[in-house]
Amino acid sequence: NILDYGVEFNSRYRIYTKSTNFMAVQELITRDIASTLAAHFWPFSLEIVDGYVYIYADNKNVTANLLESMLRDVMWLVEKLDKN
């Protein structure tokens, strides 16, 4: 089940995909990756579209620390996704 990523992930994130991509998403976002996303990416949002990863922050004030955190987190995610 694609939503079997644990309470913390399921309470913070939603995964939207076409039914034809269901299995690919399960292979890409493993339970370990979902756990880390829930613990370390919140409150960021992210999208993966056509091989590109987009990360969003709802903060109105962009700071150097925020950008560094986003960059560090997305680089970790890209490395993990490349392995999958």
Side-chain angles (χ1 to χ4, degrees), residues 23-81:
M23 295 301 285
V25 169
Q26 282 188 307
E27 291 173 7
L28 192 62
I29 307 294
T30 64
R31 190 170 174 96
D32 288 341
I33 288 174
S35 256
T36 301
L37 289 173
H40 297 286
F41 272 63
W42 184 254
F44 301 146
S45 299
L46 62 100
E47 289 184 52
I48 302 170
V49 179
D50 297 327
Y52 293 94
V53 177
Y54 300 92
I55 187 167
Y56 303 93
D58 292 335
N59 305 47
K60 292 184 181 179
N61 298 321
V62 177
T63 64
N65 285 342
L66 176 66
L67 291 174
E68 287 173 11
S69 179
M70 292 173 75
L71 182 59
R72 182 180 53 252
D73 289 350
V74 80
M75 293 306 293
W76 172 87
L77 178 61
V78 167
E79 181 182 316
K80 290 294 183 182
L81 295 178

